[in-house]
Amino acid sequence: MAHSDTEVVIVGGGAAGIAAGRRLDDAGIDCLIVEARPRLGGRAWTIGDGLAFPIDLGCGWLHSADRNPWREIAEAQGCAIDRTPPPWTRISAPIGFSLSEQASFLEALQAFHQRLGALAEDAPDVAAATLLEPRGRWNALIGAVGTYASGSQLDRVSARDFSRYRDSGVNWRVVEGYGAVIATHAAGLPVVLGCPVRRIDHGGRRLRVETADGTITADAAIITLPSALLAEETLAFTPALHEKTAAAAGLPLGLDDKLFLSLSGADEFEQDSRVFGRTDRSATAAYHLRPFGRPQIEAYFGGPLAVELEADGVPAFVDFAVAELVGLLGSDFARRVKPLHLHPWGVDPFSRGSYSCALPGKADCRGALAAPVDDRLFFAGEACSASDFSTAHGAYLTGAAAADQAIAARRGKRST
Ligand SMILES: Cc1cc2nc3c(=O)[nH]c(=O)nc-3n(C[C@H](O)[C@H](O)[C@H](O)COP(=O)(O)OP(=O)(O)OC[C@H]3O[C@@H](n4cnc5c(N)ncnc54)[C@H](O)[C@@H]3O)c2cc1C
């Protein structure tokens, strides 16, 4: 292997790993990103749609864009920022969902979020579902939206964790693609691709990082693997780190998948609007019509519905989406849409899901996962973020923080 020794090895080249690598490189610390896939970016992934537009199969929204470090990076790269307010904050054209129903639903959703936000920090960490209004009219649809936010049903999500999420309410997009911005940020960093790390032996004076392509020795490591992979111990530690495995198990990755469809006669629909397939059940997709004004539909599937459809393969998503859209817009509509792309994140061996949510009672696992071990094993990735989890900017902030911890530890050792 060309790079067999480094000061800090970074396991995983997603948003967190790239942020960490950039910070270490800027500080003059020798580092190496070791990435399992043949590409950088991880759950941030922009591809061409085969026609004219870049599409984001993973993260697409610059959440909390007014304080999101990727926004400034995107601007510095010369990318265009689209500031159109997201469809979930607005009333859309009344397709299967009257204007008054939409207003009533938004009110119920806001009230649910307020109940979550009012939870005292010392109250028992219950399931978010317990804060639904008993027999509330919109509970099924709030459950659907919960699966888009967490990838899980509300009875599998910690209310405390949900309430700790900090959302500035500003959501923008990158026209050229969020994933492209993140991968481009790694330009010039030392990287090995297609090289899964299998074990980190931290029993000796230096770390031995065993990869599919040989062993790397290092003084410190920043581990940025998705929590699902740490819980499954696809990366082993010697000696074992049982507390990390337990913390990661408390933060499973929920599942969300996006199906992109091309749409003919798109101008008939309002740009950046949204329809739900059904408003009376949780197993339904949300359809973002004409994202960026493009002739496309971005269908969003979450939770158990996404799990079930992944088990049946990509065509099952297309059939489901077409059936729901035909139910709303009539049988001729089936001829107007064609599948473009979907990536099944749940069966992807290097993510095994989309983004983390804490199980009820497990909100404090985020802090436990993020805690360094012996001042030389540092942990980063969206699941480590206390208040920006599940996002690409949360991943960035944890990656930069882990790099700062590694830099402080390296400088401390050099001066003694
Ligand atoms: C469908 C979908 C929609 C989303 N929408 C948004 C959104 O709109 N806005 C937002 O902010 N976030 C969104 N997210 C979440 C966001 O993409 C992630 O939170 C973020 O990209 C996670 O970054 P990370 O660095 O923590 O993890 P990852 O990106 O998963 O990086 C970890 C890296 O480790 C690598 N790896 C795995 N195993 C090994 C191994 N053994 N050895 C070496 N490398 C390994 C992986 O290949 C990966 O590159 C979305 C995600 C999905 C899937």
mmCIF file with all atom_site columns, all heavy atoms in Angstrom, residues 351-366:
data_model
loop_
_atom_site.group_PDB
_atom_site.id
_atom_site.type_symbol
_atom_site.label_atom_id
_atom_site.label_alt_id
_atom_site.label_comp_id
_atom_site.label_asym_id
_atom_site.label_entity_id
_atom_site.label_seq_id
_atom_site.pdbx_PDB_ins_code
_atom_site.Cartn_x
_atom_site.Cartn_y
_atom_site.Cartn_z
_atom_site.occupancy
_atom_site.B_iso_or_equiv
_atom_site.pdbx_formal_charge
_atom_site.auth_seq_id
_atom_site.auth_comp_id
_atom_site.auth_asym_id
_atom_site.auth_atom_id
_atom_site.pdbx_PDB_model_num
ATOM 1   N N   . SER A 1 351 ? -23.612 2.123  4.214  1.00 0.00 ? 351 SER A N   1
ATOM 2   C CA  . SER A 1 351 ? -24.416 3.054  5.030  1.00 0.00 ? 351 SER A CA  1
ATOM 3   C C   . SER A 1 351 ? -25.431 2.288  5.878  1.00 0.00 ? 351 SER A C   1
ATOM 4   O O   . SER A 1 351 ? -25.581 2.582  7.043  1.00 0.00 ? 351 SER A O   1
ATOM 5   C CB  . SER A 1 351 ? -25.114 4.101  4.171  1.00 0.00 ? 351 SER A CB  1
ATOM 6   O OG  . SER A 1 351 ? -25.899 3.494  3.184  1.00 0.00 ? 351 SER A OG  1
ATOM 7   N N   . ARG A 1 352 ? -26.151 1.320  5.288  1.00 0.00 ? 352 ARG A N   1
ATOM 8   C CA  . ARG A 1 352 ? -27.173 0.523  5.982  1.00 0.00 ? 352 ARG A CA  1
ATOM 9   C C   . ARG A 1 352 ? -28.281 1.397  6.574  1.00 0.00 ? 352 ARG A C   1
ATOM 10  O O   . ARG A 1 352 ? -28.839 1.100  7.628  1.00 0.00 ? 352 ARG A O   1
ATOM 11  C CB  . ARG A 1 352 ? -26.554 -0.347 7.087  1.00 0.00 ? 352 ARG A CB  1
ATOM 12  C CG  . ARG A 1 352 ? -25.371 -1.172 6.638  1.00 0.00 ? 352 ARG A CG  1
ATOM 13  C CD  . ARG A 1 352 ? -25.741 -2.419 5.858  1.00 0.00 ? 352 ARG A CD  1
ATOM 14  N NE  . ARG A 1 352 ? -26.374 -3.407 6.691  1.00 0.00 ? 352 ARG A NE  1
ATOM 15  C CZ  . ARG A 1 352 ? -27.489 -4.055 6.374  1.00 0.00 ? 352 ARG A CZ  1
ATOM 16  N NH1 . ARG A 1 352 ? -28.084 -3.797 5.235  1.00 0.00 ? 352 ARG A NH1 1
ATOM 17  N NH2 . ARG A 1 352 ? -27.980 -4.943 7.165  1.00 0.00 ? 352 ARG A NH2 1
ATOM 18  N N   . GLY A 1 353 ? -28.593 2.482  5.869  1.00 0.00 ? 353 GLY A N   1
ATOM 19  C CA  . GLY A 1 353 ? -29.673 3.359  6.314  1.00 0.00 ? 353 GLY A CA  1
ATOM 20  C C   . GLY A 1 353 ? -29.375 4.778  5.864  1.00 0.00 ? 353 GLY A C   1
ATOM 21  O O   . GLY A 1 353 ? -28.409 5.024  5.126  1.00 0.00 ? 353 GLY A O   1
ATOM 22  N N   . SER A 1 354 ? -30.210 5.707  6.306  1.00 0.00 ? 354 SER A N   1
ATOM 23  C CA  . SER A 1 354 ? -30.107 7.078  5.781  1.00 0.00 ? 354 SER A CA  1
ATOM 24  C C   . SER A 1 354 ? -29.604 8.074  6.812  1.00 0.00 ? 354 SER A C   1
ATOM 25  O O   . SER A 1 354 ? -28.669 8.819  6.546  1.00 0.00 ? 354 SER A O   1
ATOM 26  C CB  . SER A 1 354 ? -31.468 7.524  5.257  1.00 0.00 ? 354 SER A CB  1
ATOM 27  O OG  . SER A 1 354 ? -31.892 6.616  4.261  1.00 0.00 ? 354 SER A OG  1
ATOM 28  N N   . TYR A 1 355 ? -30.258 8.154  7.969  1.00 0.00 ? 355 TYR A N   1
ATOM 29  C CA  . TYR A 1 355 ? -29.747 9.032  9.026  1.00 0.00 ? 355 TYR A CA  1
ATOM 30  C C   . TYR A 1 355 ? -30.211 8.532  10.381 1.00 0.00 ? 355 TYR A C   1
ATOM 31  O O   . TYR A 1 355 ? -31.190 7.819  10.491 1.00 0.00 ? 355 TYR A O   1
ATOM 32  C CB  . TYR A 1 355 ? -30.102 10.504 8.832  1.00 0.00 ? 355 TYR A CB  1
ATOM 33  C CG  . TYR A 1 355 ? -31.342 10.827 8.040  1.00 0.00 ? 355 TYR A CG  1
ATOM 34  C CD1 . TYR A 1 355 ? -32.599 10.791 8.633  1.00 0.00 ? 355 TYR A CD1 1
ATOM 35  C CD2 . TYR A 1 355 ? -31.253 11.203 6.703  1.00 0.00 ? 355 TYR A CD2 1
ATOM 36  C CE1 . TYR A 1 355 ? -33.735 11.123 7.900  1.00 0.00 ? 355 TYR A CE1 1
ATOM 37  C CE2 . TYR A 1 355 ? -32.387 11.531 5.979  1.00 0.00 ? 355 TYR A CE2 1
ATOM 38  C CZ  . TYR A 1 355 ? -33.626 11.486 6.574  1.00 0.00 ? 355 TYR A CZ  1
ATOM 39  O OH  . TYR A 1 355 ? -34.740 11.801 5.851  1.00 0.00 ? 355 TYR A OH  1
ATOM 40  N N   . SER A 1 356 ? -29.441 8.952  11.408 1.00 0.00 ? 356 SER A N   1
ATOM 41  C CA  . SER A 1 356 ? -29.651 8.339  12.723 1.00 0.00 ? 356 SER A CA  1
ATOM 42  C C   . SER A 1 356 ? -30.807 8.981  13.470 1.00 0.00 ? 356 SER A C   1
ATOM 43  O O   . SER A 1 356 ? -31.102 10.166 13.312 1.00 0.00 ? 356 SER A O   1
ATOM 44  C CB  . SER A 1 356 ? -28.380 8.496  13.563 1.00 0.00 ? 356 SER A CB  1
ATOM 45  O OG  . SER A 1 356 ? -28.158 9.846  13.870 1.00 0.00 ? 356 SER A OG  1
ATOM 46  N N   . CYS A 1 357 ? -31.460 8.167  14.290 1.00 0.00 ? 357 CYS A N   1
ATOM 47  C CA  . CYS A 1 357 ? -32.413 8.699  15.267 1.00 0.00 ? 357 CYS A CA  1
ATOM 48  C C   . CYS A 1 357 ? -32.155 7.924  16.559 1.00 0.00 ? 357 CYS A C   1
ATOM 49  O O   . CYS A 1 357 ? -31.750 6.763  16.511 1.00 0.00 ? 357 CYS A O   1
ATOM 50  C CB  . CYS A 1 357 ? -33.841 8.527  14.797 1.00 0.00 ? 357 CYS A CB  1
ATOM 51  S SG  . CYS A 1 357 ? -34.273 6.828  14.498 1.00 0.00 ? 357 CYS A SG  1
ATOM 52  N N   . ALA A 1 358 ? -32.352 8.570  17.687 1.00 0.00 ? 358 ALA A N   1
ATOM 53  C CA  . ALA A 1 358 ? -32.154 7.864  18.959 1.00 0.00 ? 358 ALA A CA  1
ATOM 54  C C   . ALA A 1 358 ? -33.419 7.093  19.301 1.00 0.00 ? 358 ALA A C   1
ATOM 55  O O   . ALA A 1 358 ? -34.538 7.595  19.117 1.00 0.00 ? 358 ALA A O   1
ATOM 56  C CB  . ALA A 1 358 ? -31.819 8.862  20.059 1.00 0.00 ? 358 ALA A CB  1
ATOM 57  N N   . LEU A 1 359 ? -33.248 5.882  19.797 1.00 0.00 ? 359 LEU A N   1
ATOM 58  C CA  . LEU A 1 359 ? -34.395 5.118  20.281 1.00 0.00 ? 359 LEU A CA  1
ATOM 59  C C   . LEU A 1 359 ? -34.905 5.774  21.570 1.00 0.00 ? 359 LEU A C   1
ATOM 60  O O   . LEU A 1 359 ? -34.135 6.473  22.254 1.00 0.00 ? 359 LEU A O   1
ATOM 61  C CB  . LEU A 1 359 ? -33.960 3.682  20.588 1.00 0.00 ? 359 LEU A CB  1
ATOM 62  C CG  . LEU A 1 359 ? -33.536 2.841  19.370 1.00 0.00 ? 359 LEU A CG  1
ATOM 63  C CD1 . LEU A 1 359 ? -32.923 1.525  19.834 1.00 0.00 ? 359 LEU A CD1 1
ATOM 64  C CD2 . LEU A 1 359 ? -34.739 2.579  18.460 1.00 0.00 ? 359 LEU A CD2 1
ATOM 65  N N   . PRO A 1 360 ? -36.179 5.563  21.928 1.00 0.00 ? 360 PRO A N   1
ATOM 66  C CA  . PRO A 1 360 ? -36.665 6.116  23.201 1.00 0.00 ? 360 PRO A CA  1
ATOM 67  C C   . PRO A 1 360 ? -35.733 5.704  24.343 1.00 0.00 ? 360 PRO A C   1
ATOM 68  O O   . PRO A 1 360 ? -35.325 4.538  24.424 1.00 0.00 ? 360 PRO A O   1
ATOM 69  C CB  . PRO A 1 360 ? -38.057 5.474  23.345 1.00 0.00 ? 360 PRO A CB  1
ATOM 70  C CG  . PRO A 1 360 ? -38.473 5.167  21.930 1.00 0.00 ? 360 PRO A CG  1
ATOM 71  C CD  . PRO A 1 360 ? -37.220 4.833  21.189 1.00 0.00 ? 360 PRO A CD  1
ATOM 72  N N   . GLY A 1 361 ? -35.369 6.663  25.176 1.00 0.00 ? 361 GLY A N   1
ATOM 73  C CA  . GLY A 1 361 ? -34.478 6.384  26.309 1.00 0.00 ? 361 GLY A CA  1
ATOM 74  C C   . GLY A 1 361 ? -32.998 6.462  25.958 1.00 0.00 ? 361 GLY A C   1
ATOM 75  O O   . GLY A 1 361 ? -32.151 6.328  26.837 1.00 0.00 ? 361 GLY A O   1
ATOM 76  N N   . LYS A 1 362 ? -32.676 6.692  24.686 1.00 0.00 ? 362 LYS A N   1
ATOM 77  C CA  . LYS A 1 362 ? -31.275 6.603  24.244 1.00 0.00 ? 362 LYS A CA  1
ATOM 78  C C   . LYS A 1 362 ? -30.714 7.944  23.742 1.00 0.00 ? 362 LYS A C   1
ATOM 79  O O   . LYS A 1 362 ? -29.697 7.966  23.046 1.00 0.00 ? 362 LYS A O   1
ATOM 80  C CB  . LYS A 1 362 ? -31.128 5.557  23.131 1.00 0.00 ? 362 LYS A CB  1
ATOM 81  C CG  . LYS A 1 362 ? -31.574 4.156  23.530 1.00 0.00 ? 362 LYS A CG  1
ATOM 82  C CD  . LYS A 1 362 ? -30.615 3.553  24.534 1.00 0.00 ? 362 LYS A CD  1
ATOM 83  C CE  . LYS A 1 362 ? -31.040 2.156  24.935 1.00 0.00 ? 362 LYS A CE  1
ATOM 84  N NZ  . LYS A 1 362 ? -30.238 1.586  25.994 1.00 0.00 ? 362 LYS A NZ  1
ATOM 85  N N   . ALA A 1 363 ? -31.360 9.037  24.081 1.00 0.00 ? 363 ALA A N   1
ATOM 86  C CA  . ALA A 1 363 ? -30.908 10.337 23.549 1.00 0.00 ? 363 ALA A CA  1
ATOM 87  C C   . ALA A 1 363 ? -29.455 10.626 23.928 1.00 0.00 ? 363 ALA A C   1
ATOM 88  O O   . ALA A 1 363 ? -28.709 11.241 23.159 1.00 0.00 ? 363 ALA A O   1
ATOM 89  C CB  . ALA A 1 363 ? -31.823 11.452 24.050 1.00 0.00 ? 363 ALA A CB  1
ATOM 90  N N   . ASP A 1 364 ? -29.034 10.173 25.114 1.00 0.00 ? 364 ASP A N   1
ATOM 91  C CA  . ASP A 1 364 ? -27.672 10.509 25.556 1.00 0.00 ? 364 ASP A CA  1
ATOM 92  C C   . ASP A 1 364 ? -26.603 9.657  24.885 1.00 0.00 ? 364 ASP A C   1
ATOM 93  O O   . ASP A 1 364 ? -25.402 9.876  25.111 1.00 0.00 ? 364 ASP A O   1
ATOM 94  C CB  . ASP A 1 364 ? -27.584 10.415 27.080 1.00 0.00 ? 364 ASP A CB  1
ATOM 95  C CG  . ASP A 1 364 ? -28.423 11.516 27.734 1.00 0.00 ? 364 ASP A CG  1
ATOM 96  O OD1 . ASP A 1 364 ? -28.661 12.550 27.063 1.00 0.00 ? 364 ASP A OD1 1
ATOM 97  O OD2 . ASP A 1 364 ? -28.857 11.340 28.883 1.00 0.00 ? 364 ASP A OD2 1
ATOM 98  N N   . CYS A 1 365 ? -27.021 8.707  24.047 1.00 0.00 ? 365 CYS A N   1
ATOM 99  C CA  . CYS A 1 365 ? -26.031 7.898  23.320 1.00 0.00 ? 365 CYS A CA  1
ATOM 100 C C   . CYS A 1 365 ? -25.193 8.765  22.380 1.00 0.00 ? 365 CYS A C   1
ATOM 101 O O   . CYS A 1 365 ? -24.063 8.397  22.038 1.00 0.00 ? 365 CYS A O   1
ATOM 102 C CB  . CYS A 1 365 ? -26.725 6.796  22.513 1.00 0.00 ? 365 CYS A CB  1
ATOM 103 S SG  . CYS A 1 365 ? -27.314 5.452  23.554 1.00 0.00 ? 365 CYS A SG  1
ATOM 104 N N   . ARG A 1 366 ? -25.740 9.909  21.938 1.00 0.00 ? 366 ARG A N   1
ATOM 105 C CA  . ARG A 1 366 ? -24.945 10.743 20.998 1.00 0.00 ? 366 ARG A CA  1
ATOM 106 C C   . ARG A 1 366 ? -23.655 11.204 21.668 1.00 0.00 ? 366 ARG A C   1
ATOM 107 O O   . ARG A 1 366 ? -22.581 11.145 21.074 1.00 0.00 ? 366 ARG A O   1
ATOM 108 C CB  . ARG A 1 366 ? -25.773 11.925 20.503 1.00 0.00 ? 366 ARG A CB  1
ATOM 109 C CG  . ARG A 1 366 ? -27.006 11.483 19.722 1.00 0.00 ? 366 ARG A CG  1
ATOM 110 C CD  . ARG A 1 366 ? -27.540 12.578 18.819 1.00 0.00 ? 366 ARG A CD  1
ATOM 111 N NE  . ARG A 1 366 ? -28.798 12.179 18.200 1.00 0.00 ? 366 ARG A NE  1
ATOM 112 C CZ  . ARG A 1 366 ? -28.908 11.467 17.080 1.00 0.00 ? 366 ARG A CZ  1
ATOM 113 N NH1 . ARG A 1 366 ? -27.836 11.093 16.422 1.00 0.00 ? 366 ARG A NH1 1
ATOM 114 N NH2 . ARG A 1 366 ? -30.104 11.146 16.587 1.00 0.00 ? 366 ARG A NH2 1
#
